[in-house]
Amino acid sequence: MMDREFVEVVSSHLPFLNGRTLTASSSLRELGLDSMRSIDLLFALEDTFGASLPDEDLNDATFATAGSLWQALNAARTAAGAAGTAETAGSGT
């Protein structure tokens, strides 16, 4: 299930959503997400969730649907959390 905040951030970048509910299967391209909006959305998601998508996830498949983007972001958040835990464990604190 997609996070409410994620839905709000993504929805704000979709000019053709027109009050409809964003679902995991919603096509981001059909809802108006073009290349420039994708970049803006990427920065907004990074700022909001504190995780950066890896370069290999910056592709059409990731940005195809809200669900595919949520999965990639969630994986990046999990990886960032694991890296932070490893760094803390390695620091002796």
Side-chain angles (χ1 to χ4, degrees), residues 24-31 33 59-69:
S25 62
S26 296
S27 169
L28 299 179
R29 296 284 178 226
E30 289 177 11
L31 294 172
L33 189 70
N59 57 52
D60 288 338
T62 297
F63 287 85
T65 65
S68 60
L69 183 55

Side-chain angles (χ1 to χ4, degrees), residues 3-52:
D3 180 274
R4 178 191 55 79
E5 195 168 19
F6 171 82
V7 170
E8 289 175 6
V9 171
V10 174
S11 294
S12 71
H13 290 80
L14 302 174
F16 304 141
L17 188 59
N18 297 326
R20 291 178 282 175
T21 301
L22 185 69
T23 66
S25 62
S26 296
S27 169
L28 299 179
R29 296 284 178 226
E30 289 177 11
L31 294 172
L33 189 70
D34 59 19
S35 58
M36 292 303 293
R37 282 191 176 93
S38 295
I39 293 167
D40 290 341
L41 174 57
L42 179 63
F43 290 142
L45 291 171
E46 289 177 351
D47 289 346
T48 302
F49 292 97
S52 298

